[in-house]
Amino acid sequence: MTSDASTAGPETAGAGLTSLIGEAEKLANPHGHEGETATAVNSEKNRSLYASRIKIYPKLVHGRYRLVKWVVMAITLGVYYVTPWIRWDRGPFAPDQAVLLDFPHRRFYFFWIEIWPQEVYYLTGLLILASVLLFLVTSLAGRVWCGYTCPQTVWTDLFIYIERLIEGDRSARIRLDKSSFSINKLVRKTSKHAVWLIVAIATGGAWVFYFDDAPTLAANLLTFSADPVAYLFIAIFTATTYVFGGLAREQVCTYMCPWPRIQGAMFDDESFLVTYKYDRGDPRGPHKKNTSWDGRGDCIDCGQCVAACPMGIDIRDGMQLECIQCALCIDACDDIMAKVGRPRGLIEYDTPANMDRRLAGEKERFHIFRPRTVIYMGVLVLVSAIMFFSLATRGAIDLNVLRDRNPLFVQLSDGSIRNGYTVKIINKVHEEQAFSIRIDGLPSAQLIQQGVSAGDSVKTAIPPDSLKDIKTFVILPREALGSLDGGEASLRFIVENISTGETVYNETSFRGPR
Amino acid sequence: MTDTKHTDDVTGVDTTGHQWDDIRELNNPLPKWWVYSFYACIVWSVAYWIVMPAWPIFMNGAWTYTGGVIGYDQRVVVENDIAEVAAGRQVYMDQISAQDLPTIQQNVELMEVALAGGRAAFGDNCAPCHGSGAQGSTGYPNLNDDDWIWGGSLEDIHVTLKHGIRWEADDDTRFNEMPRYLTDEILTADQVSDVTDYVLTLSGTAETTEASARGSEIFARECTACHMDGGIGNRELGAPNLADAIWLYGGDRASVYESIANARAGQMPAWGDRLDPVTVKQLALYVHALGGGE
């Protein structure tokens, strides 16, 4: 807000007395009087860099995008609350929760996929996938993520919905906040915060179910016998939900989130963005019924787009950092356009390039396939393919062979050379499995297992879902030392699941004297 | 310098009232939350000095420190922690102490504990001579291989560890002595040279020659009492096998000549005097598991 007339820019100074009066009025009523034009509190010209926050009262709108947002909210909240309760049978040695991040046992379960600690790269792949998808969507249609699916948006929307139920719509809320203390105000405010808190607790409460068996944990939570860590995390997420969704709201997006700063590099002139079509709307101004629309724009300056905006900006100022592209201003404007009998879509998903084309009298065109989007799509397909392939082809055995390095090799009394290897086998099957170990690459070498008499094949049984270290030795007879090249030969350990026949191998080497 | 109130025209902020060559300083106080946090820290630190050990003081002619009213001491904490860990291990230590070595070897869980304890004890006590990987070096046996001077069974290794080798403080120590054939003039230099040639044929590193044939007769007379016919050694006496590929002091001609001429006698402490019986048992199990155990 411009607080000092003498420091205002030439624009305001030149506007004269009326403007000054307007300024003074704005100061007293940052949101305008009831029924009057709304003020975009976060619009660039309305706030100095170090102003404290002015509360925003988003007005309820009806329309296509509002409907989409309700549906998306229902789906995302539904997924969040229901997922931990889905069961998935994995047999007696594994949990039956479909989605479970089991940190104590170091396993991530996701329906039929099971991630061991050493496979966390799948998580990396998932994050890469998510970010590339975000890039693609942003370059196509702006901050769709921010406007519809981001948890901050979804929960803020839910909190505003609750606020609206209890305190009424925009003008009622402004009136309530301005009114002096009364029982009505106390009851409404208290009940609003109470319901918010319940939602916040439910949010924090649902979070912990992803990390432990949900029914057991729920029972423990209710009887106050759950792990204190569970209560701690519920408290943390309750607090963040309440503070971010109820109190901080748009400040999270504007000041805390890095994404608005990155987005500028993500979209271009051909991206679909929520746009006020100034080529059609300006010059704007109030319009009296039954007067001509000639020589003026379609915007009647009613301010409904501003009143609906949860970020407190005026979309007519063009693309701004704060805009989360929620499209509620589109619904608000479409409603007004229908009432005044003008075509819908004065504010609409549009591209900056099309605006220029219309101004130049050209036809609108849409370029969905641009180098940027094609590259993002390519990366997306590539990463998905790699992940899918690696997931589909990964086996139930993991093998790691660690060669002893200290000592590098041992000479035995008959002149033969012995190397020691620790064979680490992971049995990912939820049943005990028998494995045989053999070597390949040094025909005359012999594999023996510590504590077991020598034989061609070393066998071992590994308990369900676990890792076993098997200490083995490979002995190369004196006569065969010639098969070493510079004191070294490559060697392959082959592990076979005796019942399924699944085979994995690990390359290592055999060392001897040079 | 003046003390009059002065407000900066550009920013509208009061200055401190000081002035140096027309340069003034804006009086922008620190944020309140910062100042109060700072005061809180000061209060906290004073309380900390009283409660916790804090200041060095010179008292009764020596440097000491203020102990703090609750008597907290990090060393005590560490000692308690160590005692706690030791108490947790005691269950296993008792089992290792009570059971004989082959029984422990059959127990997977106990073996895991024993090998971990043995590895740690080996690193602390044995690695200086035998190497961190027990690979040894000239004069210090490699414990990974299958060549044992005093025997490679669990029991043999345990006895060797407990009583040491040529460790006179221990009455049951492993003891033997190879004569210094040249130094003590039992044989002439030529004879020693002949025996050396013969010894080298035992392991197949040298061809039979006239000299080695002469050495063979001397060997039969002087050496077979301990090293046996064919030089296969005798573990009862701690006489090394001369017919295998492993040479504690080097298998080249000069080293073998030196061994016969001047004799060799390594030494190992009796660890039974230095370490507790459980640790010695763990060491025996660890060394046996290195790959050469019999």
Side-chain angles (χ1 to χ4, degrees):
Chain A
M1 281 234 148
T2 315
S3 54
D4 187 350
S6 65
T7 62
E11 208 182 320
T12 324
L17 194 61
T18 44
S19 147
L20 277 178
I21 293 168
E23 285 291 315
E25 209 169 298
K26 265 189 211 165
L27 249 183
N29 294 307
H31 299 286
H33 295 293
E34 201 186 329
E36 283 192 3
T37 304
T39 309
V41 296
N42 278 347
S43 152
E44 203 180 342
K45 59 177 179 290
N46 283 339
R47 54 143 166 73
S48 73
L49 278 175
Y50 300 106
S52 50
R53 181 204 185 205
I54 298 169
K55 203 171 167 188
I56 299 166
Y57 299 88
K59 189 178 179 181
L60 178 63
V61 297
H62 303 278
R64 284 178 287 174
Y65 296 106
R66 184 62 265 183
L67 184 65
V68 170
K69 275 174 72 76
W70 288 135
V71 171
V72 170
M73 186 203 279
I75 294 172
T76 49
L77 289 179
V79 166
Y80 176 67
Y81 287 112
V82 170
T83 305
W85 298 91
I86 304 172
R87 301 290 101 184
W88 192 270
D89 186 29
R90 293 189 182 87
F93 297 103
D96 64 344
Q97 187 157 319
V99 176
L100 179 65
L101 307 173
D102 190 354
F103 280 98
H105 301 105
R106 294 169 186 84
R107 298 279 188 288
F108 288 177
Y109 299 98
F110 188 80
F111 295 94
W112 63 95
I113 300 169
E114 193 176 313
I115 304 286
W116 284 58
Q118 70 275 19
E119 297 170 322
V120 169
Y121 50 79
Y122 282 116
L123 202 66
T124 314
L126 212 60
L127 290 174
I128 293 173
L129 218 56
S131 57
V132 175
L133 192 65
L134 206 58
F135 296 170
L136 175 64
V137 168
T138 306
S139 66
L140 284 177
R143 293 166 65 184
V144 172
W145 164 259
C146 298
Y148 296 85
T149 45
C150 173
Q152 173 64 25
T153 299
V154 169
W155 261 277
T156 301
D157 221 15
L158 181 64
F159 274 53
I160 292 174
Y161 172 76
I162 293 164
E163 190 173 64
R164 200 175 277 138
L165 278 184
I166 296 171
E167 294 184 359
D169 205 4
R170 173 182 162 85
S171 50
R173 295 208 298 276
I174 295 174
R175 219 180 311 123
L176 185 71
D177 276 1
K178 263 195 223 159
S179 68
S180 51
F181 177 80
S182 68
I183 297 295
N184 174 41
K185 187 171 180 177
L186 181 73
V187 169
R188 282 179 192 275
K189 289 281 174 194
T190 315
S191 46
K192 176 183 80 174
H193 285 281
V195 177
W196 278 1
L197 218 51
I198 291 167
V199 172
I201 291 169
T203 307
W207 178 262
V208 295
F209 292 140
Y210 283 88
F211 299 90
D212 204 346
D213 184 56
T216 318
L217 182 60
N220 288 345
L221 283 172
L222 291 176
T223 55
F224 295 101
S225 54
D227 196 312
V229 175
Y231 293 107
L232 176 72
F233 273 92
I234 291 178
I236 291 172
F237 283 94
T238 301
T240 50
T241 311
Y242 178 76
V243 171
F244 290 169
L247 309 178
R249 290 190 184 170
E250 79 286 350
Q251 297 173 98
V252 174
C253 311
T254 311
Y255 301 113
M256 290 168 69
C257 181
W259 188 230
R261 327 274 147 161
I262 303 169
Q263 64 158 339
M266 293 283 135
F267 37 71
D268 54 30
D269 282 353
E270 300 287 356
S271 301
F272 282 96
L273 306 174
V274 174
T275 311
Y276 164 68
K277 297 177 176 170
Y278 60 86
D279 58 315
R280 183 186 140 192
D282 285 354
R284 61 183 94 143
H287 178 259
K288 282 203 179 77
K289 250 186 181 173
N290 304 323
T291 55
S292 165
W293 287 91
D294 292 338
R296 54 158 295 151
D298 280 351
C299 177
I300 61 167
D301 216 359
C302 64
Q304 289 307 300
C305 51
V306 174
C309 181
M311 306 304 292
I313 56 166
D314 187 342
I315 191 66
R316 295 171 298 175
D317 295 343
M319 192 60 238
Q320 291 149 80
L321 174 80
E322 291 88 350
C323 181
I324 57 167
Q325 306 267 312
C326 66
L328 292 178
C329 50
I330 300 181
D331 282 343
C333 188
D334 281 352
D335 208 28
I336 296 298
M337 286 296 112
K339 277 180 188 154
V340 300
R342 301 297 295 170
R344 293 154 64 121
L346 174 58
I347 304 174
E348 189 53 280
Y349 275 103
D350 195 13
T351 70
N354 272 342
M355 188 93 79
D356 295 341
R357 290 196 191 103
R358 283 196 301 273
L359 284 172
E362 294 170 23
K363 270 191 74 175
E364 294 186 5
R365 278 185 292 134
F366 299 108
H367 284 264
I368 289 171
F369 296 99
R370 314 188 291 275
R372 183 192 292 260
T373 60
V374 169
I375 289 168
Y376 288 151
M377 285 179 209
V379 174
L380 202 62
V381 169
L382 186 72
V383 175
S384 312
I386 291 172
M387 278 187 68
F388 183 79
F389 178 78
S390 111
L391 258 178
T393 55
R394 76 184 180 142
I397 318 173
D398 244 12
L399 171 66
N400 248 312
V401 178
L402 309 178
R403 208 174 64 78
D404 286 359
R405 290 192 161 76
N406 185 16
L408 213 49
F409 59 86
V410 174
Q411 187 185 41
L412 300 181
S413 54
D414 60 1
S416 57
I417 297 295
R418 192 189 72 198
N419 278 205
Y421 302 85
T422 305
V423 180
K424 287 171 176 280
I425 304 175
I426 293 175
N427 171 23
K428 293 183 187 172
V429 181
H430 297 303
E431 285 166 22
E432 182 172 291
Q433 300 283 301
F435 295 93
S436 73
I437 309 169
R438 59 179 195 272
I439 50 169
D440 191 23
L442 273 177
S444 43
Q446 194 190 21
L447 175 73
I448 55 170
Q449 184 182 355
Q450 190 166 58
V452 176
S453 51
D456 280 338
S457 174
V458 176
K459 289 188 175 63
T460 183
I462 302 179
D465 205 33
S466 48
L467 161 78
K468 191 173 177 183
D469 288 6
I470 300 126
K471 180 77 193 171
T472 63
F473 296 109
V474 173
I475 297 173
L476 189 64
R478 185 181 218 164
E479 313 81 70
L481 289 183
S483 55
L484 298 181
D485 179 19
E488 193 178 352
S490 59
L491 181 68
R492 172 183 282 197
F493 271 76
I494 302 166
V495 167
E496 185 181 344
N497 182 327
I498 294 170
S499 56
T500 66
E502 185 185 346
T503 304
V504 291
Y505 64 86
N506 203 209
E507 299 285 357
T508 179
S509 65
F510 186 95
R511 295 283 182 112
R514 280 173 182 280
Chain B
M1 286 207 222
T2 63
D3 285 333
T4 50
K5 189 171 149 65
H6 178 268
T7 304
D8 180 54
D9 290 337
V10 181
T11 57
V13 173
D14 287 349
T15 68
T16 54
H18 307 151
Q19 182 184 341
W20 299 268
D21 296 342
D22 275 348
I23 297 172
R24 293 171 192 276
E25 187 184 13
L26 293 181
N27 184 16
N28 280 318
L30 289 161
K32 273 185 189 154
W33 67 265
W34 195 96
V35 175
Y36 291 135
S37 308
F38 180 59
Y39 292 155
C41 289
I42 292 172
V43 172
W44 174 269
S45 63
V46 172
Y48 193 94
W49 298 339
I50 296 164
V51 175
M52 301 292 276
W55 290 95
I57 46 170
F58 193 76
M59 217 166 63
N60 302 331
W63 280 102
T64 175
Y65 58 91
T66 58
V69 293
I70 62 166
Y72 177 85
D73 189 335
Q74 286 190 332
R75 182 163 292 280
V76 173
V77 172
V78 170
E79 280 165 3
N80 288 344
D81 286 352
I82 292 172
E84 200 176 305
V85 172
R89 284 181 183 158
Q90 199 53 47
V91 189
Y92 298 107
M93 297 303 123
D94 288 347
Q95 287 185 55
I96 292 173
S97 173
Q99 297 177 15
D100 62 358
L101 292 167
T103 317
I104 299 170
Q105 214 170 25
Q106 297 308 314
N107 185 330
V108 175
E109 193 191 7
L110 215 48
M111 235 353 229
E112 217 171 289
V113 177
L115 289 184
R119 183 180 297 117
F122 190 92
D124 288 348
N125 301 291
C126 316
C129 293
H130 288 286
S132 59
Q135 70 274 37
S137 65
T138 305
Y140 302 100
N142 184 343
L143 306 176
N144 292 281
D145 62 31
D146 60 344
D147 190 26
W148 300 93
I149 296 170
W150 293 96
S153 72
L154 261 179
E155 194 46 44
D156 287 338
I157 294 171
H158 189 225
V159 169
T160 306
L161 267 162
K162 211 166 154 186
H163 300 293
I165 293 167
R166 298 185 192 94
W167 194 253
E168 283 163 15
D170 190 303
D171 291 339
D172 296 323
T173 193
R174 307 261 198 204
F175 197 91
N176 65 4
E177 202 171 12
M178 161 115 175
R180 299 187 290 178
Y181 282 99
L182 183 63
T183 314
D184 293 344
E185 295 177 353
I186 303 167
L187 298 174
T188 65
D190 286 345
Q191 286 174 315
V192 171
S193 175
D194 290 347
V195 175
T196 303
D197 284 336
Y198 175 68
V199 166
L200 289 172
T201 65
L202 292 171
S203 54
T205 39
E207 298 293 320
T208 306
T209 57
E210 261 178 56
S212 75
R214 285 197 301 274
S216 159
E217 285 163 27
I218 303 166
F219 188 88
R221 192 175 71 233
E222 297 286 343
C223 311
T224 48
C226 295
H227 289 285
M228 315 296 282
D229 277 343
I232 57 168
N234 184 342
R235 288 177 174 183
E236 296 292 314
L237 302 170
N241 186 341
L242 305 176
D244 66 14
I246 294 169
W247 297 90
L248 182 54
Y249 292 93
D252 58 294
R253 197 180 184 285
S255 300
V256 175
Y257 181 92
E258 174 64 20
S259 294
I260 299 168
N262 265 324
R264 314 266 193 181
Q267 219 182 9
M268 180 167 100
W271 293 99
D273 300 342
R274 300 182 168 201
L275 303 173
D276 62 280
V278 173
T279 307
V280 176
K281 270 179 141 177
Q282 288 180 329
L283 274 171
L285 289 160
Y286 174 71
V287 170
H288 187 264
L290 284 171
E294 292 168 353

